[in-house]
Amino acid sequence: MNRSPLHLRLAGLLVCLLLAGTTTAGAAGAPAKPAALRPKLIVFMAIDGLPQRQVLNYQDQLAPDGFNRFLKHGTWFANAYYGHAFTVTAAGHATMLTGAYPHRTGIVGNEWLDSQTGAREYCVGDTSASYIGHATSPLDGTSPKNLKVETVGDVLRRANPQSKVISISGKDRGAILPAGKTGTAYMYMGSSGQFASTTYYMQQHPAWVDAFNTARPADRYFRQEWKALLPEAAYTRSVPDNQAWFGPAGGGLPARYSAPEDTEPGPNFYGLLLRGPFGDALTLDFARAALDGEQLGKRGVSDILSISLSGHDYVNHAYSAESRLSHDHFLQLDRLLQAFWRDLDAKVGKGRYVAVLTADHGFMPAVEYSAQKGLASGRVDAAQTLSAVNQGLERQFGPGKWVEGFSGSALLLDKNLLAQNSLDGNAVVDAARALLLAQPGFAAAYTRAELLSGVRAADPLFAPLRKSWHPDVSGEVQFALKPYWMMGGRAVATHGSPYDYDTHVPLLWYGPAWMGARRITQRVEVVDIAPTLAALLGVAAPAASEGKALPLARATHRR
């Protein structure tokens, strides 16, 4: 039955009242404390590239009030997963606050090829907008133009335009996609060490942003070393530094983010700063400035502050999630979070906000690490694969580059070439699929016709692949690699698969006025975040959301 906007608002209000009427558990035998009606602030935290296994593997080494604020005093979900197959940064960041997978958001990857022209598209690229105070290249990320759906922040601001949605990240896509259409995004500029927004959001920065940038806070990390937090014996669960498979440059701690010849901070230093804990510390400092500058959570309305910390993804790409560098970086993040929660309590008030922490994707083990464990693994050479598929198609259908390239996690065929040769497109697509599956490392592939019809819906990988495919954006053959295989390149390890190591992520909630301390083992999905936040805020879920509200309010005593 179709429901009017009034019905949706009333439904959202009812859910909110139900949540508000639930009590949280105190100490054993103590009276339960009534929950507040709505949080003044939602602090949404995404750790780029953090698999759930790291949170659990190193839990005994955590500080008292970093991740443990959630694990000991909040509600956390031990089995939270993404449901789509191509688990990359943009797709994850688009999913978290829309409650929708790429088949609805249109964000099918970090980049893709235009389905009609074959031109390269960047997930948050928009040539009509430019960075404020910084040079802007054609494919730089400047707006949410490609995001096809609304976020919970968009719904909140439509219900109350005085509410603010501020989104901050080291990466453009990590800031722009959670901000939605009506929030404000700020991203790190690797050329200057500053944070900037774009002309999509405003023509000039507010005074607090200019003050932050004028102070040049990134410069304090020049020639500082990233040193291990714990003694060497504490890292026996992770792979030692300087493995042969790290590449010629190696990799180990201590690490410094400036070249010996650098006499002062410059683009080389600023560009490298995100690849470790210092960039995350800088991002959190900018978030502190935003809290004060925008008076978030202090103006009588509900606000959202989204923070995406990018460093862990860079570390894991360079050394793998099993490395000591990743192990220590996770612990560094933990200490940074502890300091941020302390300041957040002081700035906003401990009982006035809800904090949520998750990740945009997990991470596969390095191919070499998997091989050492006796697992079948390998790298796919993208160029060789495309060449083999195109050569096979030429033998069947005549000369021409039939496949233009990889588009997200799909093959894109040249539609002009098909039209020129008056060929049955389905026949060429079927042949391309067969040729692709004949290459080493490919587990499954489905054609556009199969994805639209659902004829192979019973296949194990069909559903996650279908959720990663958008009919207006994606190519003609959607694929997944075999477990422990990756597309080759300079990275030691990567992500982007439908397997547990990439899809199983932390989902942690904290807000004593709204939820108790407990661990929930039922399987949930990241798309459940947006409708849950909407219920807490007393607004309707985003229109495209396919998740369900999580059981936060059923507080129990911690076992």
Side-chain angles (χ1 to χ4, degrees):
M1 180 176 66
N2 292 330
R3 295 185 181 274
S4 68
L6 177 60
H7 282 125
L8 292 174
R9 287 196 296 271
L10 290 173
L13 179 60
L14 177 60
V15 173
C16 183
L17 291 172
L18 288 172
L19 286 169
T22 308
T23 57
T24 55
K33 184 175 68 173
L37 182 59
R38 293 182 187 176
K40 299 301 182 186
L41 178 65
I42 299 293
V43 179
F44 180 78
M45 184 83 69
I47 309 296
D48 200 325
L50 176 63
Q52 170 75 340
R53 66 183 184 274
Q54 285 193 299
V55 177
L56 301 181
N57 287 352
Y58 308 135
Q59 193 173 348
D60 60 311
Q61 296 177 336
L62 296 174
D65 199 31
F67 284 96
N68 269 330
R69 175 167 288 208
F70 300 99
L71 298 174
K72 292 187 176 180
H73 306 290
T75 296
W76 63 283
F77 294 84
N79 293 295
Y81 291 85
Y82 280 98
H84 65 282
F86 195 42
T87 41
V88 294
T89 297
H93 278 86
T95 293
M96 294 183 289
L97 294 184
T98 65
Y101 287 122
H103 67 142
R104 295 185 179 184
T105 67
I107 305 298
V108 298
N110 294 337
E111 58 183 49
W112 55 84
L113 303 178
D114 184 278
S115 60
Q116 298 303 315
T117 68
R120 185 181 168 201
E121 285 272 353
Y122 182 55
C123 57
V124 288
D126 182 355
T127 56
S128 72
S130 57
Y131 295 134
I132 297 173
H134 291 77
T136 310
S137 299
L139 289 173
D140 281 343
T142 57
S143 96
K145 177 190 72 171
N146 291 323
L147 182 64
K148 297 181 180 297
V149 299
E150 64 183 4
T151 64
V152 67
D154 293 330
V155 179
L156 175 66
R157 297 206 69 236
R158 188 165 63 245
N160 190 343
Q162 282 68 51
S163 291
K164 295 183 180 181
V165 176
I166 305 294
S167 186
I168 299 163
S169 178
K171 296 180 180 180
D172 50 21
R173 53 191 182 267
I176 291 170
L177 293 167
K181 303 288 188 180
T182 61
T184 302
Y186 294 96
M187 58 226 76
Y188 179 73
M189 298 284 106
S191 60
S192 66
Q194 299 179 350
F195 283 83
S197 190
T198 81
T199 56
Y200 172 85
Y201 304 99
M202 64 190 78
Q203 293 305 306
Q204 62 184 30
H205 290 141
W208 68 265
V209 175
D210 289 336
F212 182 90
N213 287 331
T214 300
R216 302 176 67 87
D219 290 6
R220 70 175 176 267
Y221 298 109
F222 185 63
R223 292 186 172 171
Q224 282 199 30
E225 288 186 328
W226 167 13
K227 298 178 181 179
L229 274 173
L230 303 179
E232 188 69 29
Y235 298 95
T236 56
R237 282 169 276 180
S238 48
V239 173
D241 296 347
N242 294 305
Q243 295 294 309
W245 35 273
F246 288 177
L253 298 178
R256 179 180 288 176
Y257 292 95
S258 56
E261 63 271 18
D262 290 343
T263 58
E264 62 181 18
N268 178 60
F269 161 71
Y270 295 133
L272 291 172
L273 193 60
L274 285 183
R275 290 157 168 78
F278 300 148
D280 295 322
L282 188 65
T283 303
L284 289 170
D285 282 344
F286 188 77
R288 291 179 174 95
L291 283 164
D292 291 337
E294 299 290 346
Q295 289 293 289
L296 299 177
K298 296 181 178 180
R299 297 170 301 103
V301 295
S302 297
D303 299 318
I304 296 175
L305 174 62
S306 174
I307 307 166
S308 176
L309 300 178
S310 306
H312 206 60
D313 183 72
Y314 288 115
V315 171
N316 286 351
H317 274 300
Y319 310 111
S320 83
E322 280 60 48
S323 67
R324 181 177 84 124
L325 286 100
S326 181
H327 180 168
D328 188 75
H329 188 263
F330 172 70
L331 299 181
Q332 299 272 359
L333 281 171
D334 179 55
R335 276 58 173 181
L336 290 171
L337 291 179
Q338 179 170 254
F340 184 72
W341 304 142
R342 178 196 63 217
D343 292 345
L344 190 62
D345 290 346
K347 290 175 182 293
V348 179
K350 199 166 186 176
R352 294 167 62 87
Y353 69 88
V354 167
V356 190
L357 187 147
T358 189
D360 55 345
H361 53 75
F363 239 93
M364 71 173 292
V367 167
E368 292 79 6
Y369 178 87
S370 297
Q372 290 173 5
K373 299 295 183 182
L375 299 168
S377 60
R379 284 182 168 81
V380 171
D381 186 306
Q384 288 183 8
T385 300
L386 285 175
S387 178
V389 172
N390 271 320
Q391 287 175 20
L393 292 175
E394 282 191 334
R395 287 192 293 270
Q396 295 183 53
F397 302 103
K401 186 181 178 183
W402 297 95
V403 176
E404 296 199 72
F406 289 114
S407 181
S409 56
L411 294 180
L412 181 69
L413 271 66
D414 187 332
K415 295 175 179 60
N416 290 329
L417 189 58
L418 289 172
Q420 290 167 13
N421 288 270
S422 301
L423 287 171
D424 177 2
N426 288 332
V428 181
V429 170
D430 288 342
R433 173 183 179 274
L435 288 163
L436 186 68
L437 288 175
Q439 302 304 307
F442 287 85
Y446 300 104
T447 66
R448 174 178 288 269
E450 291 170 333
L451 292 162
L452 288 172
S453 70
V455 67
R456 301 181 64 186
D459 291 3
L461 293 180
F462 183 87
L465 281 166
R466 177 64 184 84
K467 289 175 182 174
S468 279
W469 184 85
H470 192 286
D472 299 333
V473 180
S474 301
E476 282 69 49
V477 181
Q478 187 82 4
F479 63 83
L481 299 182
K482 293 178 180 177
Y484 305 105
W485 282 72
M486 64 176 277
M487 282 286 182
R490 291 178 295 176
V492 165
T494 193
H495 47 85
S497 81
Y499 306 115
D500 278 12
Y501 49 72
D502 279 342
T503 60
H504 191 189
V505 294
L507 181 50
L508 316 174
W509 296 72
Y510 172 81
W514 294 272
M515 65 203 74
R518 62 183 181 142
R519 172 178 179 264
I520 297 177
T521 59
Q522 74 186 64
R523 182 184 172 106
V524 299
E525 295 197 8
V526 176
V527 289
D528 298 334
I529 294 173
T532 306
L533 289 176
L536 286 167
L537 292 166
V539 297
S545 172
E546 50 196 310
K548 59 184 183 301
L550 295 167
L552 293 181
R554 293 197 298 251
T556 60
H557 297 301
R558 184 176 178 84
R559 291 184 176 88

